[in-house]
Structures are given as C-alpha cells and as structure tokens.
Amino acid sequence: MPTPEILAPVGGEEQLIAAVRSGANAVYLGGQNFNARRNAANFAETDLAKAVSYCHARGVKVYVTVNTVVLDAELPALEEEADRIAEAGADAVIIQDMAVLRLFQARYPSLKRFASTQTAVHNVDGARFLESVGFDSIVLARELSLAEIQTICASVSIQKEAFIHGAHCMSVSGACYLSAMLGGRSGNRGLCAQPCRLNWTSGDHPYALSLKDMSLLAHLTELADAGVNSFKIEGRMKRPEYVAAATAACKLALEGKPYDAESLRAVFSRSGFTDGYLNAKRDEQMFGYRTKEDVTGAEGVLASLAAQYRNETPLVPVDLAFSLTEDAACLTVSDGAHTLSAQGVAPERAVHRALDAENAQKSLEKTGGTPFFVRSFSAKIASGYTLPASALNALRREALDALLAQRGQTQPHKREDFAISAPERYLSNFEKPALWARFYQKEQIACAQSYEKILLPAEEIDSALLAQLGDKLVAQLPTVLFPADEPAFDAKLDTLAKAGLSAVWANNSYGIALGKRLGLVVHGGYGLNVTNTESLRFYEAQGLGSLTLSFELAMSAIKSLGGTLPRGIVSYGFLPLMQLRNCPIKASLGCAACGQNGTMTDRMQVRFPVECDQYRTVALLNSVPLDIAERSMRGLDHQILYFTRETRAEIETVTARFLAAEKTQDAHTTGLYFRTLL
C-alpha cells in the first residue's frame, strides 16, 4: 500500500518554503480569487507559476483552491482564473461550486478535480455521488469516526483525503451561514469572520461554539489502514512556523518516529488538541478556545521552528555519472525522469596525485544547499590526470542547476474548446410563487390546503399521513446523515417509498444519490449552495425536480439566473445557521435538561434556538425569523415557509400574511436577499 501523502497548507511564499522544506509531498494554496481563505496572502498569476515551478522542481505537487461559490457576474473572471491555473501547470484544483467543476471538466480535463471540504462529504452516498460526477478526490468531513472513515473509503475508488491536524469548525463545513447572516461575511465566499470563536454560552458554560484544534498524528497508521490516501493539514491563514511544525511532525509520525508535541502545541492550539470525533467521543472535552497562555506560549518556539526550514532540504535523489578523459570532464545527472550532462574544463597531467573515483565522489556528492541528494555514483577516469576541486564543484553546480531548472519547467494543461454560455433569464410560469411549507413535526401541520408542497422530516412521516396528503408530501432528508445512521435511515426511506412517498428534499448532495436510487423525485435544498446559472444547469442535468436557491444570494441575482430548472427560495423562518454533530447543549447540560428545546446565547445576550434532529445532529437557528411576505417574488416557482418551533396558531397567522403579502410587525430580518454579500 502506497504511503499517504502529506498535504500542507500554504498562505504565501514563506509558508510555501516552510512546507516544502519540512517534508510536504503536496501543498494547497489559493490564487487571487475564488478561494476560501481570501484574507491569506495567496498567489497572483506570476507568483502561482513560480510556486508551481518551485514545488515541481522539488517533487512536490500543487493543488489550487477554487473553493468558493460563484456569482453569475463572476463567471468571466472564473474562466480567466481557470486559464491562469492551467497555464501554471498546477496538479489539481479544489472545488466547492459545481459551476467550477463543469468548467474544469470541459475546458481542462487533464487537470484533476478535488472536492473541497465545503462539499461536506460525510457518508457513502455523498462520496459515490461526487465520484460519479467527475471528482478525482474527496476530502472527508472532520466529524467522522475512524469506523465511518473506513466505511466511506471502501465505497469509492478515487483518492480520499482526511484532515489530521488544525482547526475544527464547529459546524459541518459548507453548512455554516453564521458569519454571513450576522456580519455579511460568508464562509462560502471565503470571508468567514469566525463569530463562533466569540463567547457563546450554553447555560453557564463559556465558549460553547468553539472546539479545540484536532490532532490525529497518533492515528496516522490507523487512518492509512482505513483507506486514507492523503493527510491534510489545516491552516492557510497560519504563519510559516506553524506550517513547518505541523508538516515535520506529520512526517515523523508517519515514519513512526517521535515528534515535538509540545512545540506543536505552543505554536498554535486552543487549550490543546482533541481527537474526539475520530474516537467517537463527542463530549465536553472537545471544547476549547484560544487563551492568553496559548498566545504567549508561541513566543518561545518561533525562532527554533524557523531555523528548521532556513536551508534547502535534500528531497530529490539523483544518480551521478562522472567521466574524465585527457580532453574533458563530464558529469551526467539523472533523477530517473530527466537526464542531462555538464561539460567541464580539460584536465591537467597529475604531478603528485592523480584524480581517482573516491576523491571525485567526495567533491561531487556535496549537494548541500540544493534539494538533491546522491543516490548512486559511478566514475570512469583516465589514469594520470587531475582536476582541481573548484572545477569539480563548478561542474556539479552547473549540472544540478540545469536539472533543477528542467524539473521546474511548467507544463500547461491543454485547453479544450469550451466557454460558459451567458445565461438567458429564467421566466417562471407563476404570477406568484407557490407556497411550500416545511414543518419540524407532523403535529404542527396546519393550513395544508394553502400549500403546494409540504416538507416534513422523513422520520415524522407514516402511511396514514401519506394517504392523507399524497404527492403533496415531500420527505425532508437530514442535512447531515453520518454512516452510522445510514442503514436505518435508508430502510425507513425505502419503506416510505413502497408506501407511496414520491419525493424527497435534499440539503446535501448525498440525498441526490439516495433519492434517485429509490426512484424518488429529488428537490434540491438551499444547502446545495447554488448561486449561479451554471450550477443550476449542473443540477438540472442530474434530473432534479426543482431547486431551492441559497439564501446567501441577493434577490437581484436570484431573479437574473438562467437555466430551465424550476426554482424557489426560503421566504420565512428561523434559518439554520450551523449544523453541529457535537451538540454544545448535550455536552454542557445533557439531553434531559434540554428536552429538545434548547437555546444558545451570544456575547450580546441574544438567544438562538437549537433544533434537534433525532439526537443525531442539531441545527443552530437564527434568533429572529426571516420574513419577506410583502416583497415581490415574481419570477420564482415556489417559496418555502420554514417552520421550526412555531405553534399551529402562529403557523396559521404567518400563512395568512404570506397569502395576503402583508408585512410583519414583529421582530424579523430580511436576511441577505436585499444586502450586498462580500
């Protein structure tokens, strides 16, 4: 079994050097646009080509992040970014938005496509779906246990990455809208402001939305045995000393050697590290935050860590063949793929001691200051001749410099004839979008006659309800469904399908595979994070019945989208802002104290409800409901009233207002529909 690669984060040139010299087999970095760490230094066009050349010369691969959602207005700039990446000769692109997938598939098919953590691959159906649509690699969700990782790895043949060190987001990646809704800075757009790291409380437990950083360095052999091909380190916003420490520690751990755990903790941690998700111990021990001691602890190790990558590291083995005749000296160097020769000055007749193979080797194998080390040496030397050490050193430098330059030559990817076509604005057949309603529990269902569709969690549906509501009833799939829960849920959904269920609402791409496998119509949810026409076209090609657009998208952009797939929006509700596997209320207070009716409190003492999903995961809801009843939504096919904890009386009131298009007088938000998202 091949040794898994070490994949290091790179936010700028210094981090790049630190990663390569510390033992990374591959690095991931961002261009100037469309990457999920837009506040990192990142790499402009010429810098990107230099970075690829530097890495390839040293045997290191380069993966470029294009892992934000994209707006229609940005699609021309996206095409330019794709051209720059392909011209630079990068090895792969890391992708969230399906528009980006379609572009690279069609224009640069030789450039590998890796699924970003923002795609939230967390179960078997999700992994299989991404493999089926053309991804070459997936990165597994950080919330998975070792057994669940093994299950997913066994289900697909493409490469599998797993994060093994670095920050834990509280929410499942790609399913967090907290920063966008509270401050207009979207994580899906690469500008997360990390409001979860502020002092949220659960009861009297502080920092209840902040997890310790993960460190799985003690489990690398287990992960490799489970099928992980790439060990990914988080931290493109971190300083180069952190990159060096984490990369070097990973390399040593992978080799079964001891590493400096204390230096690694000192350079950056949040109250230490955790492996809680991998060990399926999701409890209060996983929580932690950045203390004053954590900050000051880094000061003592930075200088020593910087010294570790100050000089070139011998990474590339070379074979040297030296010959000396009465007319010339020649050194041939080969790395196995590239072979070249350098010619030296003519030798002199030896007066005292002739040059022999042993002395020639001593001079020629001094590769310090280069990324090469000598794997083998051979020599053919005419007797009676000599060459000064300075001439031998010059010959070595010339040959190795030429080899380094040849290895670093970028190989642009071939461009195919493909361009993203300009969207023709979609025209709905509806004068006013049809009302859909989502209920948390079946006891809430009211005003059923007013809705075209009723969305209800699958566990709440039974044969009696199916008989009553028929095709109006749509099963809402869990936004996240981990492998441990897949078999039972699949059986439940299969039973419902045989009882007459005709459609599901999928908030993650796994639901597309699951729904289609059971012969059900799949309606895409807001969690697919669709923000552009090309992505709409992708899901139309997947056979979806409709799509609910991202609630991070401005109304002006929503109404200018093209494609032919029926679409709608969420127009009312306490929006889910985060999806959490380690429930902070359970960890701090216990399920009994919550009664599936818990709340979180932010530092301004604002209370946010928490919705429990069958004790599997929870959703942090917004503190006030989205409500745009009075706004024109002409051009859309449906609008969803997303009910969570409302009583039947409250539901009836909201429904009546939306039917009459009357503005609410209660506290509410209009969300991001009428704001400019960064």
Side-chain angles (χ1 to χ4, degrees), residues 440-488:
Y440 175 46
Q441 296 175 322
K442 61 186 177 183
E443 290 78 14
Q444 292 174 300
I445 296 176
C447 308
Q449 72 283 354
S450 300
Y451 308 123
E452 181 183 75
K453 297 289 183 185
I454 291 176
L455 314 181
L456 192 64
E459 287 88 352
E460 290 288 306
I461 298 175
D462 54 31
S463 56
L465 203 57
L466 279 168
Q468 177 186 344
L469 297 174
D471 287 345
K472 180 179 286 192
L473 188 59
V474 177
Q476 179 185 4
L477 305 182
T479 297
V480 285
L481 182 71
F482 291 99
D485 300 312
E486 276 189 286

Side-chain angles (χ1 to χ4, degrees), residues 1 146 216-227 231 253-254 256:
M1 182 175 63
L146 182 63
L216 307 183
L217 299 181
H219 303 282
L220 298 190
T221 300
E222 298 166 83
L223 287 166
D225 290 344
F231 294 148
L254 191 55

Side-chain angles (χ1 to χ4, degrees), residues 253-331:
L254 191 55
E255 295 171 350
K257 299 176 182 177
Y259 58 90
D260 190 346
E262 283 307 309
S263 289
L264 190 56
R265 174 172 175 159
V267 72
F268 194 93
S269 75
R270 292 181 172 89
S271 310
F273 299 119
T274 179
D275 57 4
Y277 280 133
L278 191 76
N279 289 325
K281 294 181 179 178
R282 300 180 290 272
D283 55 26
E284 72 280 1
Q285 297 301 316
M286 286 187 65
F287 291 81
Y289 60 97
R290 190 89 168 131
T291 65
K292 181 180 179 181
E293 291 74 19
D294 291 329
V295 175
T296 57
E299 297 173 359
V301 300
L302 293 178
S304 61
L305 290 172
Q308 292 180 13
Y309 62 88
R310 187 169 294 133
N311 301 313
E312 281 276 13
T313 303
L315 301 168
V316 181
V318 291
D319 303 308
L320 305 185
F322 174 67
S323 68
L324 186 70
T325 67
E326 60 185 26
D327 298 317
C330 177
L331 179 63

Side-chain angles (χ1 to χ4, degrees), residues 98-126:
M98 297 305 166
V100 183
L101 173 69
R102 281 170 63 95
L103 172 61
F104 279 99
Q105 269 183 315
R107 185 178 285 195
Y108 295 110
S110 65
L111 190 50
K112 289 188 179 297
R113 301 165 296 275
F114 290 3
S116 166
T117 186
Q118 295 295 106
T119 59
V121 184
H122 64 281
N123 62 23
V124 170
D125 274 322

